[in-house]
Amino acid sequence: MAKRSTLFIKIVEGKNLPIKDITGSSDPYCIVKIDNEAIIRTATIWKTLSPFWGEEYTVHLPPYFRTVSFYVLDEDSLSRDDVIGKVSITKEVLTAKPQGVDGWMNLTEIDPDEEVQGEIHLQISVLGDGDIPRKLCCQVLEARDLAKKDRNGASDPFVRVRYNGKTYESTVVKKSCYPRWNESFEFELDETLADTGLLSVEVWDWDLVSRNDFLGKVLFNINKLQSAQEEEGWFRLGPDKSKHSEYEGTLGSLRLQLRLRDEVVLPSSHYKPLTELLSQSVGSQLNGNWPDFIMLIDETTTAESRQEVANNLVKLFLGQGLVKEFLDVLFKLELEKTTEPNTLFRSNSLASKSMESFLKVAGMQYLHRLLGPIINRIFEEKKYVELDPSKVELKEAGCAGLHRQQTESDIIQQSSSLLQSYLSELLTSILQSASYCPLLICQVFHQLYLRVQECFPDPEYRKVKFIAVTSFLCLRFISPAIMSPKLFHLREKHADARTSRTLLLLAKAVQTIGNMDTLACCSKEPWMVCLQSAIQQGITQLKDFITKLVNCHEPEDLELQTRMSLQCGTMEKEGFLFLHRTKDKCMPMTSPFKKYYVTLSKDTLSYSRTQHSKKSLFISLPKIRAVEKVEEKCFGSANVMQIISSEDSGQQETLYLDCKSVNELNHWLSALRKACSHNTNTMSCYHPGIYKADRWSCCHQKEKSDPGCDKTRHGVTLQEWYDPLDPDLEAQLIYQHLCSVQHAMRDKYYKLREQQGVQEADSVRDQKKVDGLSKLFSILQDLHDAHAAVEEEERSKNKNLFLELQTWHYSVSYS
């Protein structure tokens, strides 16, 4: 059984941000943190106080996470970035709103006394009995993951213990966020304070010149502690009492969309009946029976949940090898409801959403190969392109020569030539892509082409079968990727304003070709007429491409397609990184990181000097024991990760990877953690520092073999397009959806029962529908009972521990 939480994040926009630059504006970006761990950095939006990001992320989290925070900063090229403010949302708030949180949220000032993190290891006991005066003993053992308060990327922590007016302080541990003290402090236990006595354990960062920085504290109720006599454990450090900010409401606000989904995935055997029923519902068409179950899902799914349901169904049927049959069922349903060919597949129906999801899951590598070169060319050239006379800016275009300013007509003519060049290159790539388009996509388009041709056989509708294909391929796949290459992982950053306009104009041209109607476009936007001949030629080329694409199943093309088809759902990531390698007791070398091309495949992590050279070094994924971040102070970079693996000889090897940004770091962390998720010999703790000068830089332990000072974080990952399919998870999500629409399905069920008693002609067909729904309700009830049993087992496991904690640990809430 797997248990995790999935957080859907969309950072939409900001407004009314304060001015941070001398230009009278700001250059804002966001950092997203889960429990103080940075996982996402948005693009910087230059020179604006009302930035629009529109960035979406899906984060998989362990169920015990507590807070998600959004920090807004102003990027500065010459000095440290300015912090504008933050928005923090607790897990409790997200859990209380299962439909999600969507709205504007005010940024608040960042109070250093509230920016605490980490845990402290304590042993607290009550000593003495009978006539002997009892004593309260607090043993301070160690702490981990403390906040970094000093410029060197660490802190100088010490502990202050208070009880009944007395205060003791520990020694200061220099330059460590993972200090070890092993010091004990004793107090005379005051029996008169039995109900109100508090033991306070505070952690501070010692500073020689300025005031000490607060790192967090824990409070204990002594009355509840006495019944336990002695307790030991790790305790999360909490903030000091929050202060009212005088800047509240003046730092601007963020518009966020968040939704938390808790997932408890049962063993595969529990989902087998549901998966079989779904498979039969699309496979039954082969025997001449209409798959009413898929139609029922289509009718009961709301517009808000349609995209997610479509995505889950597509992935489930991909895993079952039935996605072609599933989409064919949806094509039939859509065609049955369509009377006007011009509206075919233009609505956000389950068929349209499912096809859109299918192309993203099965065709992303194809898309990258198709669009990568032209997108990179546009980003690198950064040419000023504008066809609309009302939007031409002469100052943006520059001069035509040494003494002559360009005119509006010069700019439009030059822009037309550039766009025609981009369009010609793109259409050539599309024509050539028929040889490497995944076979499964070709087969699905072949089905769609034939279904539309059967439905609209008249000569006047001869273009409809082509438009049906282009409505998905061009309008819902290629054009959106051109307009927003970052969202389709074609670029690491969003385009600037000039490049965005070029991409938009190119996407418009592709959409016009996809619609196969040049006159309609030119009537709406007359300034596109200069591209009319290029668009007309493009329509002819696209028809040739579609004809070739839908005939790819022919025997002479099958061998080529089988060889060139790209597998969906396989884990693969690659790119240039800087590597630093160290073995067992050897200290890290003083030489700098070296650049390698790193490839993560299904079984190995390999790297070589260049992309196309032979891979000389390999790490077997099952031998990886931990994949974690490295402290910034170790290498002077906040984006270094370490891969700890074991060799056959038993020696431990650590490979350090230096990434360009926090996003690249977290993408590699996520990919490796998911690839190693089934490893059995994983570490529960690790050293976030390096072993140098005969000691660990993080906790100052002197033996290389000493146990790690921080716990590993296997559970935090980002969802990527190349993630492998997870049939059990998709079945669980479909089960959750079916439960949410169960009332609507029961209404359908009762109506069928009534019709069965009135109509005799279709009684056999109706009886099959009734039997199918009865079977579905039985499966849903079995899954509900299985989840209830798991929850009861979890409650019984945690009950004793929960009661023990309640007897002695005093939790203080702050207003």
Side-chain angles (χ1 to χ4, degrees), residues 711-773:
K711 56 187 178 183
T712 52
R713 296 171 174 83
H714 302 291
V716 180
T717 58
L718 296 170
Q719 182 170 301
E720 303 283 1
W721 62 268
Y722 50 74
D723 284 352
L725 298 173
D726 188 343
D728 293 340
L729 174 60
E730 304 308 330
Q732 167 63 24
L733 297 177
I734 292 170
Y735 156 71
Q736 290 177 346
H737 170 70
L738 293 175
C739 287
S740 68
V741 296
Q742 195 168 358
H743 291 298
M745 286 191 167
R746 286 196 180 276
D747 290 341
K748 294 277 185 182
Y749 173 75
Y750 294 133
K751 288 180 181 178
L752 285 172
R753 292 288 298 270
E754 292 174 2
Q755 291 174 4
Q756 189 179 4
V758 176
Q759 300 176 358
E760 294 296 330
D762 293 330
S763 59
V764 176
R765 177 184 172 90
D766 288 343
Q767 184 60 47
K768 287 184 178 180
K769 293 180 182 179
V770 171
D771 293 344
L773 283 174

Side-chain angles (χ1 to χ4, degrees), residues 58 73 94 135 198 404 455 485 495 564 597 622 633 642 652 727:
T58 300
L73 296 93
L94 295 171
K135 292 184 178 181
L198 291 178
R404 188 172 73 85
C455 189
M564 297 298 293
Y597 193 82
K633 67 177 183 179
Q642 57 179 316
Q652 187 167 284

Side-chain angles (χ1 to χ4, degrees), residues 532-551:
Q532 189 168 359
S533 60
I535 289 172
Q536 192 62 52
Q537 183 181 355
I539 292 173
T540 304
Q541 291 176 305
L542 195 60
K543 283 183 178 180
D544 294 340
F545 166 72
I546 292 171
T547 303
K548 188 183 297 185
L549 192 71
V550 299
N551 291 319

